[in-house]
Amino acid sequence: MPVSQNRRSFLRGGRPSASEWRPPWTTASITDVCTRCDRCVEACPENILFRGDGGFPQIRFTGEGCTLCGECAKACPEPVFDLTREAFPWRAVIRDHCLAKANIHCSTCRDACETSAIRFPPKLGHVAVPEVTLEDCTGCGACVAVCPEDAIGLEAPQTESPSYA
Ligand code: SF4
Ligand code: SF4
Ligand code: SF4
């Protein structure tokens, strides 16, 4: 099947399209093996999975991030989830309308990040501004969920190889 233009742009780096917001440890082939039984959706204790495009499960980070608890994978009766894969292809990106970038004190995202991927190096004459260490970011979306300005996006890093096809 040809790769869509959106998909190409995501794999090169950039924001995923709606259908690419898949549950952790899944790939584009989810549509071949998922029977749309909703068991993963029902199993998610964070309520971040929902019945999305075509009835296939999708993820959204409104309110909560993914704790990588694995309950979705455990509940699924089909070979959809593979825990040996990287959970998510995207990483957190701090956008320009971040409060700290506007010199307003805020470090809510740092407090939400379990892997300490968001650091605030001191900046002379300016409040400290968040920086994401891509190697430490799992793409869990916890920072996205708590940012009061909706200033954190999730994007595939430009350098990432297209291993999520
Ligand atoms: S790993 Fe846990 S929190 Fe994350 S989507 Fe699956 S069930 Fe929800
Ligand atoms: S929580 Fe949002 S506004 Fe606050 S420092 Fe982090 S990215 Fe900026
Ligand atoms: S998406 Fe990355 S930076 Fe944000 S909380 Fe999760 S691990 Fe931390």
Side-chain angles (χ1 to χ4, degrees), residues 6-21:
N6 273 345
R7 174 114 203 101
R8 281 186 205 285
S9 97
F10 183 32
L11 292 176
R12 275 202 310 268
R15 298 180 204 189
S17 65
S19 62
E20 287 163 336
W21 291 109

Side-chain angles (χ1 to χ4, degrees), residues 65-66 90-94 109-118 131-134 136-144 146 152-154:
C66 172
W90 49 70
R91 299 291 177 266
V93 175
I94 313 288
C109 51
R110 174 178 56 196
D111 300 339
C113 181
E114 294 236 334
T115 59
S116 303
I118 306 180
E131 288 180 4
V132 179
T133 306
L134 292 182
D136 294 335
C137 174
T138 61
C140 76
C143 56
V144 175
V146 298
I152 305 180
L154 292 166

Side-chain angles (χ1 to χ4, degrees), residues 1-3 7 11 19-20 22-36 56-57 76 78-82 85 163-165:
M1 202 166 93
V3 180
R7 174 114 203 101
L11 292 176
S19 62
E20 287 163 336
R22 286 185 288 275
W25 307 293
T26 64
T27 70
S29 65
I30 188 172
T31 53
D32 298 334
V33 276
C34 170
T35 59
R36 294 174 266 190
F56 294 101
C76 178
E78 306 296 337
V80 170
F81 296 81
D82 178 351
R85 285 182 198 127
S163 59
Y164 196 62

Side-chain angles (χ1 to χ4, degrees), residues 50-108:
F50 66 102
R51 196 174 171 79
D53 290 354
F56 294 101
Q58 284 180 225
I59 195 164
R60 65 184 152 213
F61 301 107
T62 44
E64 303 291 341
C66 172
T67 61
L68 300 174
C69 68
E71 290 300 321
C72 47
K74 212 188 293 176
C76 178
E78 306 296 337
V80 170
F81 296 81
D82 178 351
L83 299 182
T84 64
R85 285 182 198 127
E86 186 178 60
F88 299 113
W90 49 70
R91 299 291 177 266
V93 175
I94 313 288
R95 304 219 188 280
D96 288 344
H97 58 286
C98 157
L99 291 173
K101 288 188 180 182
N103 217 19
I104 298 165
H105 283 281
C106 178
S107 57
T108 308

